[in-house]
């Protein structure tokens, strides 16, 4: 019987399934080690534009009336002293002038609570919520630094900050975890290859000789066992010696631990590098720059020394770019600190396991050694 073969054309999946597949692949890429960097950067840029839209125009409209209110108060005081009240009547004059001054003071207190810093021009409000200011605020929110020099004043800005932090802080922790792990593995490989001289010909030759001696010893033992059992010993060769050497090198590279002193030196070097940069950008000395870098990278963020003096000059592109580079320095620095913490944790775990093995071996040696018997005579 002849079988009838029916060739069916492969049907294209529906649009909904294709859309789900694309969304799944895109999500997997964005939460991968490479995509998480772009995701954090895009999240901070989006947050900067969002807070500029919420806080920027409202601040300009709010503070635009301050100079006119000050002039209006001064004109009222002049009118009271010249036309309305007799200056020789001290009681009435002090009462009317006091009322005007108290009213103006209440307005100043309200303005200060809403974010006014005492400047006569609205340039401060413009520069505070420029792109660099919004980017700084987004950085301080998701990194939990919280300098406090740029804060939301509107109701919508505070609500947006809450939801922005709820999503941004876990995302930044994921960034630190992934990037710190990648940097730790890369640094371990570099340390194992170069600092331990695993690529040096002399070390590789000594390691090969040790492997050959170990292979010959194992071969002789195995041949003696096979010879006693009557098997053919001609099949035993040393063809896998090079593979054993490569396996040994790979195993040492994966199991190597970086000393804690090297990790501390890396962190100190990065802090002093940032201190030197901030000394040029913000006109700080080395001590203030080092203090700021440590407080920022540790996410303490007291707020007594903050970047942003460059934002007080409108239109200075060089200062704006240098401030964005400062934010990049903080992002890379926190990932570097996470890498050092991972390496230090591995070193501490390795030391604890080595100590446990040493203690366990001591106790096992004490248990295996039998006590001396009275019946046994000492050897002469």
């Amino acid at each position: 019987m002849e079988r009838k073969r029916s060739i069916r054309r492969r049907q294209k999946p529906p649009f909904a399934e294709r859309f789900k597949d694309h969304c799944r692949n895109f999500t997997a890429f964005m939460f991968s080690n490479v995509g998480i960097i772009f995701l954090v950067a895009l999240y901070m840029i989006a947050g900067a534009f969002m807070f500029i839209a919420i806080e920027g125009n409202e601040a300009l409209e709010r503070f635009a009336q301050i100079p006119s209110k000050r002039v209006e108060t001064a004109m009222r005081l002049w009118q009271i002293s010249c036309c309305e009240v007799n200056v020789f009547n001290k009681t009435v004059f002090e009462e009317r002038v006091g009322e005007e001054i108290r009213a103006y003071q209440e307005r100043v207190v309200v303005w200060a609570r809403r974010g006014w810093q005492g400047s006569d021009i609205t340039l401060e409000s413009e520069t505070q919520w420029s792109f660099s200011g919004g980017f700084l605020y987004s950085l301080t929110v998701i990194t939990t630094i919280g300098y406090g020099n740029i804060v939301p004043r509107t109701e919508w800005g505070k609500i947006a900050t809450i939801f922005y932090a709820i999503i941004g802080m876990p995302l930044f922790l994921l960034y630190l975890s992934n990037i710190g792990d990648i940097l730790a593995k890369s640094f371990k490989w570099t340390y194992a290859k170069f600092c331990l001289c695993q690529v040096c010909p002399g070390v590789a030759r000594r390691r090969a000789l040790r492997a050959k001696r170990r292979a010959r010893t194992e071969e002789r033992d195995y041949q003696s066992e096979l010879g006693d059992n009557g098997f053919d010993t001609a099949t035993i060769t040393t063809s896998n010696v090079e593979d054993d050497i490569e396996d040994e090198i790979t195993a040492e590279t994966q199991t190597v631990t970086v000393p804690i002193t090297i990790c501390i030196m890396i962190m100190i070097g990065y802090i002093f590098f940032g201190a030197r940069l901030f000394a040029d950008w913000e006109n700080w000395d080395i001590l203030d720059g080092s203090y700021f870098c440590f407080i920022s990278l540790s996410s303490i963020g007291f707020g007594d020394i903050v970047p942003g003096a460059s934002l007080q000059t409108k239109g200075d592109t060089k200062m704006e770019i240098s401030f964005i580079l400062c934010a990049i320095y903080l992002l890379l620095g926190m990932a570097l600190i996470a890498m050092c913490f991972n390496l230090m944790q591995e070193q501490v775990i390795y030391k604890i396991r080595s100590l446990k093995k040493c203690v366990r071996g001591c106790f096992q040696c004490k248990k295996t050694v039998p006590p001396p018997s009275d019946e046994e005579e000492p050897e002469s």
Side-chain angles (χ1 to χ4, degrees), residues 2-13:
E2 296 182 358
R3 296 182 179 180
K4 295 182 180 180
R5 298 180 180 179
S6 60
I7 301 175
R8 296 182 179 180
R9 189 175 183 181
R10 186 175 182 181
Q11 296 180 354
K12 196 173 184 180

Side-chain angles (χ1 to χ4, degrees), residues 229-286:
N229 295 328
F231 292 102
D232 186 12
T233 60
T235 58
I236 306 299
T237 61
T238 59
S239 60
N240 295 328
V241 173
E242 296 297 328
D243 295 337
D244 295 337
I245 297 173
E246 294 295 332
D247 294 339
E248 181 183 1
I249 295 175
T250 305
E252 290 182 2
T253 305
Q254 294 177 354
T255 59
V256 70
T257 57
V258 181
I260 297 179
T261 54
I262 295 181
C263 299
I264 296 176
M265 290 174 59
I266 292 174
M267 291 188 290
I268 293 175
Y270 194 80
I271 289 174
F272 277 102
F273 171 74
R276 181 68 266 176
L277 292 180
F278 285 111
D280 297 334
W281 292 346
E282 302 288 344
N283 294 324
W284 296 341
D285 54 12
I286 298 298

Side-chain angles (χ1 to χ4, degrees), residues 218-234:
E218 294 177 356
E219 181 181 355
R220 286 195 299 266
D221 295 339
Y222 192 46
Q223 284 179 352
S224 61
E225 293 179 0
L226 292 178
D228 295 338
N229 295 328
F231 292 102
D232 186 12
T233 60

Side-chain angles (χ1 to χ4, degrees), residues 93-109:
F93 178 77
E94 290 180 351
E95 183 179 357
R96 293 291 303 275
V97 171
E99 289 177 358
E100 292 294 332
I101 292 177
R102 281 193 297 270
Y104 180 73
Q105 288 176 346
E106 291 176 357
R107 292 177 180 176
V108 170
V109 171

Side-chain angles (χ1 to χ4, degrees), residues 15-36:
F15 177 77
E17 294 184 2
R18 285 183 292 157
F19 181 75
K20 290 180 181 179
D21 293 337
H22 290 306
C23 291
R24 192 179 299 110
N25 296 330
F26 179 76
T27 304
F29 170 75
M30 293 303 295
F31 284 94
S32 62
N33 295 329
V34 178
I36 194 67

Side-chain angles (χ1 to χ4, degrees), residues 80 85-98:
I80 291 173
V85 179
N86 187 1
V87 294
F88 294 101
N89 191 348
K90 183 178 180 181
T91 303
V92 178
F93 178 77
E94 290 180 351
E95 183 179 357
R96 293 291 303 275
V97 171

Side-chain angles (χ1 to χ4, degrees), residues 127-366:
T127 55
Q128 191 178 35
W129 287 108
S130 62
F131 177 77
S132 297
F135 195 78
L136 169 66
Y137 180 72
S138 302
L139 174 69
T140 57
V141 169
I142 66 174
T143 57
T144 67
I145 296 176
Y147 292 126
N149 60 331
I150 302 177
V151 293
R153 300 294 180 179
T154 62
E155 290 77 8
W156 285 108
K158 296 176 182 178
I159 295 174
T161 300
I162 294 174
F163 288 99
Y164 186 80
I166 290 175
I167 301 175
M169 287 190 294
L171 181 64
F172 186 75
L173 293 177
L174 182 62
Y175 161 80
L176 290 181
S177 177
N178 289 3
I179 304 304
D181 185 59
I182 293 174
L183 293 177
K185 291 180 179 178
S186 302
F187 187 80
K188 282 177 60 178
W189 184 87
T190 305
Y191 176 77
K193 290 294 183 181
F194 295 96
C195 295
L196 296 182
C197 297
Q198 289 192 0
V199 296
C200 298
V203 177
R205 191 181 301 109
R206 290 193 297 270
R207 186 172 291 123
L209 292 176
R210 288 197 302 268
K212 288 181 179 180
R213 285 196 297 267
R214 185 170 60 252
R216 290 195 188 99
T217 304
E218 294 177 356
E219 181 181 355
R220 286 195 299 266
D221 295 339
Y222 192 46
Q223 284 179 352
S224 61
E225 293 179 0
L226 292 178
D228 295 338
N229 295 328
F231 292 102
D232 186 12
T233 60
T235 58
I236 306 299
T237 61
T238 59
S239 60
N240 295 328
V241 173
E242 296 297 328
D243 295 337
D244 295 337
I245 297 173
E246 294 295 332
D247 294 339
E248 181 183 1
I249 295 175
T250 305
E252 290 182 2
T253 305
Q254 294 177 354
T255 59
V256 70
T257 57
V258 181
I260 297 179
T261 54
I262 295 181
C263 299
I264 296 176
M265 290 174 59
I266 292 174
M267 291 188 290
I268 293 175
Y270 194 80
I271 289 174
F272 277 102
F273 171 74
R276 181 68 266 176
L277 292 180
F278 285 111
D280 297 334
W281 292 346
E282 302 288 344
N283 294 324
W284 296 341
D285 54 12
I286 298 298
L287 179 59
D288 290 339
S290 302
Y291 172 77
F292 168 76
C293 291
F294 177 78
I295 294 300
S296 299
L297 293 177
S298 59
S299 69
I300 296 175
F302 287 128
D304 51 348
I305 299 178
V306 296
S310 59
L311 296 179
Q312 301 301 324
T313 304
K314 186 177 180 181
D316 195 344
T317 306
K318 181 179 179 181
M319 293 298 180
E320 295 281 338
I321 295 175
S322 65
F323 185 78
I324 295 175
L325 293 178
C326 166
I328 296 175
Y329 167 82
L330 294 178
L331 287 175
L332 296 178
M334 288 186 174
L336 187 67
I337 295 298
M339 178 200 77
C340 293
F341 284 166
N342 289 339
L343 296 176
M344 293 168 68
Q345 181 182 4
E346 291 181 358
Q347 178 71 7
V348 171
I349 293 174
Y350 174 76
K351 293 294 184 182
I352 293 175
R353 289 179 178 176
S354 300
L355 181 61
K356 288 173 62 178
K357 289 181 181 180
C358 182
V359 174
R360 189 180 303 169
C362 292
F363 280 105
Q364 289 179 355
C365 291
K366 291 181 180 179

